[in-house]
Amino acid sequence: LDHIRRERIAGRVAKVAKDRQIVVFTHDLVFANSLMESAKKAGVSSASKTLRFGSGKAGVVIDGLPFEGQKVPGRLDSIRKMANRAKEAYGNGDIDTSDNLIRLGYGRLRDTWERLIEEYLFAGVVVRFRRSVETRRLREVEVGDDEFLAVEEGMSRCSRFAHDTPVEAQDPVPTHDEFLADIDKLDAFAKNVRANAKDTEKRRDLLC
């Protein structure tokens, strides 16, 4: 499917789903997100599942999309679970596993900062792989110095632990508590951006 037909088919599936249950199997995350967005616009309830290979078995069913296809709240939930697994591994004396989970977690946290910019800070005005630019959503967008500094600080901290660095310049791997604190910081920032977006939208509605 090219990008035009992908969106048209997603819209058609959502329309038909008003009258019957439809099950779609796909390995295309962009198409999966188009289906979810089309269902939302059509007022149709939807649920996503992921089929994985795990524990020597194929077809293991997991709720939700893979991490790469999740939105900010789902990603934060997934990263918190990683932090908890790191804490458990540390408690069992498996320091290497704990450190590896935390480093991987900071990479995913960095990716989530990027997704937050797309979804929340810029209110979905421009979304990767989507053809249209939703200019009307600009009514929710207001990026000031505080937002800039929060993103700069969050991205920089994640990069310190997600990227390889020279031996002499390496920082110690954060503890699981420090990792959770950084997760909570992103979560709090996301909620604040959402609240400010609603206030901005109300103020700008008076201008139109």
Side-chain angles (χ1 to χ4, degrees):
L1 298 175
D2 62 26
H3 59 284
I4 296 175
R5 288 171 177 77
R6 180 192 290 125
E7 292 185 11
R8 288 178 178 173
I9 291 175
R12 179 61 177 166
V13 169
K15 183 177 180 180
V16 175
K18 290 183 176 181
D19 302 317
R20 69 193 72 178
Q21 184 184 50
I22 296 181
V23 179
V24 178
F25 287 86
T26 180
H27 61 269
D28 186 338
L29 282 176
V30 177
F31 181 51
N33 273 304
S34 291
L35 285 169
M36 303 292 282
E37 287 294 325
S38 295
K40 183 178 179 180
K41 290 179 181 178
V44 175
S45 61
S46 63
S48 57
K49 305 284 183 180
T50 299
L51 294 176
R52 298 288 298 273
F53 181 89
S55 301
K57 299 178 181 179
V60 177
V61 181
I62 301 173
D63 286 334
L65 294 174
F67 181 83
E68 294 78 9
Q70 293 175 8
K71 295 186 180 296
V72 171
R75 287 183 172 211
L76 285 171
D77 182 61
S78 174
I79 297 170
R80 279 200 177 91
K81 289 177 180 176
M82 291 182 68
N84 290 331
R85 294 202 304 273
K87 181 177 182 179
E88 182 179 357
Y90 187 88
N92 292 331
D94 191 349
I95 309 302
D96 285 343
T97 295
S98 178
D99 286 354
N100 288 335
L101 281 168
I102 290 175
R103 286 194 179 279
L104 175 62
Y106 271 103
R108 292 191 170 185
L109 195 62
R110 187 180 190 280
D111 292 344
T112 305
W113 274 104
E114 293 179 351
R115 181 58 62 88
L116 182 149
I117 293 170
E118 184 178 291
E119 286 183 23
Y120 289 6
L121 206 57
F122 291 158
V125 174
V126 179
V127 175
R128 284 169 287 188
F129 307 112
R130 190 182 68 198
R131 289 186 305 126
S132 60
V133 177
E134 304 289 343
T135 56
R136 286 187 59 82
R137 296 188 181 186
L138 279 171
R139 67 201 309 121
E140 303 174 34
V141 177
E142 186 171 22
V143 182
D145 292 346
D146 290 343
E147 287 78 18
F148 161 74
L149 290 172
V151 172
E152 181 72 9
E153 178 186 343
M155 290 286 288
S156 297
R157 179 163 172 77
C158 290
S159 295
R160 283 172 57 193
F161 307 116
H163 294 165
D164 191 23
T165 56
V167 175
E168 294 82 358
Q170 282 186 352
D171 292 310
V173 177
T175 66
H176 50 266
D177 287 333
E178 291 172 329
F179 183 31
L180 279 171
D182 286 327
I183 297 170
D184 290 339
K185 185 178 294 185
L186 190 156
D187 192 10
F189 177 71
K191 290 174 180 175
N192 186 58
V193 169
R194 295 286 282 182
N196 289 342
K198 291 180 180 179
D199 293 338
T200 300
E201 183 179 18
K202 290 178 182 177
R203 187 177 75 249
R204 288 179 176 163
D205 280 342
L206 299 176
L207 303 176
C208 302

